[in-house]
Amino acid sequence: MVEVTNTKNTEIIGFACSFCTFKASEMAGSLRMKYPDGVKLIQVPCSSRVDPAFVIKAIFEGADGVFVAGCHPGDCHFIKGNYFTRRKMAALKEMFDVFSIKDKLRLFWVSAAEARRFVEKVTGMHNEIKEKKNAE
Amino acid sequence: MKTGIFICHCGHNIKHTIDVKKLSQYFKKYPGVTVAEDYPFVCSEPGQDMIRDSIEKQGLDRVLIASCTPSLHGELFKDLLKKSDLNPFLLRRVSIREHCSWVGDDLDINTEKARRLILAGLYSAAHYVPLEEKVVEVTKSALIVGGGVSGLSAAAFLSKMGMQVYLVEKEAELGGHVRALKDIWPARRDGKEIIDEMVEELTGKSNVEIFTSTTISAFEGFFGNYEVTLNTPKGEKKLTAGGVIVAAGFSPFDPRIKPELAYGKDKRIITTLDFERDSDSLSLPENPRIAILHCVGSRDEQIGKPYCSRVCCINALRVGDSIKEKYKDSYVESFYMDVRAHPRGGEEFFEDTQEKGVLFTRSNIAEIVPGSKGVLVRGEDTLFNEFFEREFDLVVLSIGMSPPVDNKLIATLFKITLDKDKFFLEAHIKLRPFDTAVKGIFIAGSCSGPKDIEESINHGRASAVKLYGFLNLGYAFVDPFISIVDPKRCSGCRMCEQACVAKAIKYDETKRIVHVEEAACMGCGLCNSTCPSSAVTLKGYADMIIDDEISALTEAI
């Protein structure tokens, strides 16, 4: 029998808006800021492109956490795309709450200049989820 | 499917923390992969030749380049594919430098992460389809926001090159802060003279329209054809501009934010700007005692201004110098943290003022107390670790630069971003210092960070040259990432129509389905994620592309 170990890496899938959060992640990289390797990004034109189905799919396929990140409210390149995202993710969170997986989904705003904020957010999320996973 | 994977070493940048050899060996055996190579610099001439050769000899139909972030060299590789007669939208860039090798230190972990990222690229690229870039005509006209030195120099260049220029200034007069300056170092000229000369270049030109006391009330459209609505004293005016140069300038730091400096409570406490404007009417005694404070509103973490404003040291030195010229026996003491005499010749000027008798004391100033006889300056001498109290007849605060007051408004209007100090952010600090993230909108002058007059003029001209290069072609390519509707799947529920911010989705009453107006679509993909029947697809970001990317990243394929 293969021994089942709990050493699997904590995997976080992030949907990053290409105008703000993806830019911030590029900047974080070029400033050589460190964040956990489990955090992997998917570039989307706007956070509103994220279909709730993507989030569900990612969690079904084994992601330990999913985040959707975009521009700060009012700064959206597509005027109010992120307001739609906010509503959609709030609804999705309520649904996740029923299944007690509410903590797996995060929504946050990071502008193109906020490389440090990006690193803080993703590292915080990764560590919280990892702790929870290890406690189980 | 014939995919070519090219993994860049980026010198040591990627190779140092990712085992590129292992990756290329791994992907060589992967189904659907025809070529998998690693190369020191894929962006170099020989690197590009290698890709072209592979495309031609192996007949590749997908190219995946794993290197730096997609926004760097994106156009370069797109052109490369075009030259090899391959549709440029069959290119996939995977960022293994900014998103992998630079964020972690462990070789094995990074190699595994890079493998996953490349895999995600490989799977999503399999769904790519050739797309056509649409060519649109652009209006050869420029909107310049701000009539300071950088805005004026940009306008002068563009008008000389025969481009229609609309210059918008919110104040009644052109010239910004420079107009108020009496004696500009090192030219020793009146600011008003310089402005008048610049304005003269623009007056009488048929292709220049200047709007003073004007604000912008609305801004719509896309690169090449921006629709601008101006709020002029004579009423509303609409115009079309191909591109925009934002030269909104700066606001002088208001020392009232620091109440311990007692600015505004006593007329013996003034700023360098007050001094420049009106140094003759100061009622000073015969041998005045004058204190000059450096770094007021700069390099101050407590008030959220950690940056150096660059111009205030030289302003402070100018004040000391001009007082010494006027009053030979005056006592002038400069309280500084560091002297950063920034432009060329600044250091020599610093030495000159020292020789003329200006005393420099490295110190932290605690407070300024106006009294009946004089103004008391209390602080700590940071070289001797001593506290001191001295009385002066005049205190001059060398104030720094703050972002323009309406920066938030302008940023929202043009959808450009602000950096952490609330100045406008450039697209890339080294490679694209004049561009913003929005195509056709440039920034110039001190609205993108503190600059002196010379730099502001340079910045304005450089932005003008860049914009001219963009608009002079007369045409532009529009990204083909727009939505399309599958008429067979559309049920006509009109949910996407309500969601579309750009009003690009129109309902056809007779067919009872929707369609997308290509010219209006901004390509956000909101309709795609809203549609309950999956009838709307955003080109380049189709559902299956992102789905497969998720699967590859979670390794659930």
Side-chain angles (χ1 to χ4, degrees):
Chain A
M1 273 290 282
V2 182
E3 198 187 336
V4 181
T5 49
N6 207 9
T7 51
K8 199 177 165 257
N9 203 3
T10 307
E11 296 289 340
I12 308 257
I13 303 282
F15 293 95
C17 130
S18 61
F19 286 89
C20 289
T21 313
F22 199 78
K23 284 257 152 60
S25 73
E26 287 175 358
M27 200 200 229
S30 52
L31 291 171
R32 314 289 211 274
M33 289 174 171
K34 306 291 178 216
Y35 57 84
D37 66 292
V39 179
K40 294 182 181 75
L41 295 184
I42 291 174
Q43 189 181 1
V44 284
C46 173
S47 57
S48 67
R49 173 66 190 91
V50 182
D51 197 319
F54 295 155
V55 180
I56 297 168
K57 182 185 161 89
I59 288 175
F60 269 30
E61 295 196 340
D64 298 296
V66 178
F67 69 83
V68 179
C71 314
H72 287 276
D75 281 345
C76 179
H77 182 81
F78 301 105
I79 303 156
K80 41 185 184 181
N82 50 6
Y83 293 136
F84 283 90
T85 313
R86 191 164 63 177
R87 285 206 221 162
K88 250 187 285 191
M89 292 306 139
L92 188 62
K93 256 200 159 168
E94 249 171 56
M95 196 182 108
F96 276 16
D97 198 17
V98 178
F99 299 100
S100 306
I101 49 169
K102 196 178 159 192
D103 294 339
K104 292 198 175 199
L105 174 63
R106 303 272 167 100
L107 172 69
F108 49 78
W109 315 122
V110 179
S111 88
E114 294 172 325
R116 189 168 295 280
R117 185 179 152 89
F118 172 79
V119 173
E120 279 166 10
K121 284 279 177 191
V122 297
T123 314
M125 179 183 179
H126 181 271
N127 292 345
E128 272 173 44
I129 288 177
K130 193 178 174 182
E131 257 174 48
K132 240 188 166 174
K133 201 178 160 190
N134 288 345
E136 272 167 15
Chain B
M1 189 106 10
K2 286 181 171 178
T3 311
I5 299 179
F6 302 93
I7 302 164
C8 188
H9 297 186
C10 197
H12 271 286
N13 284 311
I14 293 172
K15 199 181 156 196
H16 204 62
T17 46
I18 293 174
D19 192 344
V20 280
K21 274 272 171 306
K22 200 170 149 191
L23 284 178
S24 62
Q25 291 303 327
Y26 174 82
F27 280 107
K28 265 195 183 107
K29 291 179 205 128
Y30 217 82
V33 177
T34 314
V35 186
E37 293 287 346
D38 56 291
Y39 196 76
F41 288 99
V42 173
C43 58
S44 68
E45 278 295 329
Q48 293 184 46
D49 288 343
M50 179 183 74
I51 298 174
R52 276 181 78 169
D53 280 354
S54 307
I55 295 172
E56 276 156 24
K57 283 191 191 131
Q58 314 277 348
L60 300 180
D61 56 5
R62 297 283 185 284
V63 176
L64 190 147
I65 297 170
S67 56
C68 46
T69 155
S71 56
L72 286 175
H73 304 314
E75 294 300 314
L76 182 110
F77 290 123
K78 251 166 101 178
D79 283 343
L80 182 67
L81 262 71
K82 271 185 211 165
K83 279 182 206 153
S84 322
D85 287 330
L86 195 60
N87 189 290
F89 296 95
L90 297 175
L91 167 76
R92 167 75 192 206
R93 299 285 309 281
V94 176
S95 165
I96 56 167
R97 194 179 76 181
E98 273 83 348
H99 288 103
C100 188
S101 78
W102 276 351
V103 298
D105 296 320
D106 191 291
L107 185 89
D108 289 335
I109 290 174
N110 274 350
T111 310
E112 171 58 20
K113 184 178 177 183
R115 185 185 69 81
R116 270 313 167 87
L117 291 175
I118 296 172
L119 207 61
L122 191 63
Y123 273 76
S124 63
H127 297 292
Y128 282 10
V129 286
L131 298 175
E132 280 306 318
E133 270 177 310
K134 215 172 62 179
V135 182
V136 290
E137 255 182 63
V138 302
T139 322
K140 288 190 186 179
S141 62
L143 171 75
I144 295 168
V145 185
V149 275
S150 50
L152 286 171
S153 51
F157 174 83
L158 289 169
S159 77
K160 254 185 230 157
M161 302 309 281
M163 199 166 272
Q164 177 68 37
V165 175
Y166 304 105
L167 184 67
V168 176
E169 167 63 51
K170 64 172 174 164
E171 304 291 337
E173 269 185 326
L174 294 174
H177 295 284
V178 177
R179 175 178 281 273
L181 306 178
K182 288 280 177 302
D183 185 13
I184 295 168
W185 189 85
R188 296 285 164 101
R189 287 187 63 189
D190 192 339
K192 200 169 167 298
E193 268 178 45
I194 295 179
I195 294 298
D196 286 344
E197 266 176 39
M198 293 178 103
V199 173
E200 198 162 326
E201 271 190 86
L202 297 174
T203 41
K205 289 267 175 71
S206 59
N207 58 350
V208 180
E209 263 190 83
I210 298 172
F211 301 94
T212 47
S213 312
T214 300
T215 51
I216 300 164
S217 51
F219 184 80
E220 281 161 6
F222 44 89
F223 172 68
N225 295 289
Y226 288 116
E227 301 289 333
V228 191
T229 314
L230 300 179
N231 206 349
T232 69
K234 286 177 196 157
E236 215 167 69
K237 189 177 162 61
K238 278 188 192 293
L239 48 92
T240 313
V244 183
I245 294 175
V246 179
F250 69 98
S251 295
F253 175 74
D254 185 2
R256 286 184 187 89
I257 295 168
K258 289 172 80 75
E260 67 272 24
L261 298 178
Y263 177 75
K265 288 179 190 142
D266 193 295
K267 63 177 186 348
R268 289 167 299 180
I269 303 167
I270 61 170
T271 64
T272 39
L273 210 61
D274 297 336
F275 186 88
E276 274 277 3
R277 282 178 187 143
D278 196 21
S279 66
D280 299 329
S281 68
L282 296 168
S283 51
L284 291 172
E286 202 149 308
N287 296 328
R289 292 169 61 82
I290 288 160
I292 303 167
L293 264 61
H294 285 240
C295 295
V296 178
S298 317
R299 306 179 66 202
D300 194 340
E301 294 267 4
Q302 283 172 347
I303 51 166
K305 299 202 181 293
Y307 54 89
C308 167
S309 291
R310 295 157 74 107
V311 296
C312 26
C313 270
I314 213 78
N315 287 346
L317 295 174
R318 278 283 309 138
V319 172
D321 184 69
S322 71
I323 290 170
K324 272 288 172 192
E325 256 172 32
K326 232 181 199 167
Y327 307 95
K328 266 231 134 31
D329 293 322
S330 56
Y331 175 80
V332 184
E333 189 167 4
S334 228
F335 299 102
Y336 70 99
M337 279 199 265
D338 294 297
V339 175
R340 294 178 173 178
H342 155 257
R344 190 178 51 179
E347 281 299 320
E348 290 82 349
F349 184 59
F350 176 33
E351 274 170 26
D352 275 359
T353 37
Q354 277 174 307
E355 270 166 30
K356 279 183 182 153
V358 178
L359 201 70
F360 285 85
T361 310
R362 207 183 97 172
S363 53
N364 283 330
I365 299 301
E367 59 173 347
I368 297 172
V369 189
S372 57
K373 271 164 76 190
V375 185
L376 198 68
V377 174
R378 278 205 193 102
E380 184 198 359
D381 187 319
T382 49
L383 284 178
F384 291 101
N385 283 331
E386 277 172 1
F387 293 100
F388 64 80
E389 257 186 24
R390 278 197 265 283
E391 238 177 4
F392 293 94
D393 298 314
L394 181 74
V395 175
V396 184
L397 308 174
S398 187
I399 47 168
M401 289 178 168
S402 291
V405 275
D406 40 9
N407 55 348
K408 280 249 167 70
L409 218 73
I410 296 173
T412 316
L413 195 68
F414 295 115
K415 299 186 201 88
I416 54 181
T417 34
L418 300 174
D419 68 6
K420 64 178 191 341
D421 299 322
K422 305 284 178 283
F423 286 102
F424 294 114
L425 183 74
E426 59 280 271
H428 188 284
I429 192 150
K430 293 228 164 61
L431 297 168
R432 290 166 69 198
F434 312 111
D435 311 44
T436 61
V438 187
K439 196 178 177 193
I441 299 183
F442 294 84
I443 38 176
S446 47
C447 62
S448 71
K451 279 173 194 65
D452 62 24
I453 297 168
E454 183 190 331
E455 281 176 320
S456 298
I457 292 174
N458 286 343
H459 213 238
R461 285 195 188 143
S463 293
V465 173
K466 285 281 264 180
L467 181 61
Y468 180 75
F470 262 128
L471 294 181
N472 194 41
L473 284 173
Y475 61 88
F477 291 110
V478 183
D479 271 343
F481 301 130
I482 49 170
S483 290
I484 46 166
V485 182
D486 182 351
K488 280 188 192 129
R489 299 192 86 159
C490 179
S491 63
C493 70
R494 300 174 77 169
M495 264 167 77
C496 51
E497 191 191 3
Q498 287 167 34
C500 185
V501 181
K503 304 255 177 296
I505 293 186
K506 294 271 154 34
Y507 183 65
D508 192 327
E509 290 286 350
T510 50
K511 287 183 193 157
R512 304 188 73 79
I513 53 168
V514 295
H515 68 272
V516 179
E517 300 258 345
E518 285 192 8
C521 179
M522 296 192 291
C524 60
L526 178 52
C527 48
N528 192 347
S529 56
T530 306
C531 183
S533 342
S534 306
V536 195
T537 300
L538 177 65
K539 288 181 190 170
Y541 295 95
D543 283 344
M544 54 194 176
I545 293 178
I546 300 179
D547 274 346
D548 274 7
E549 215 166 316
I550 296 167
S551 302
L553 287 183
T554 50
E555 275 215 297
I557 309 154

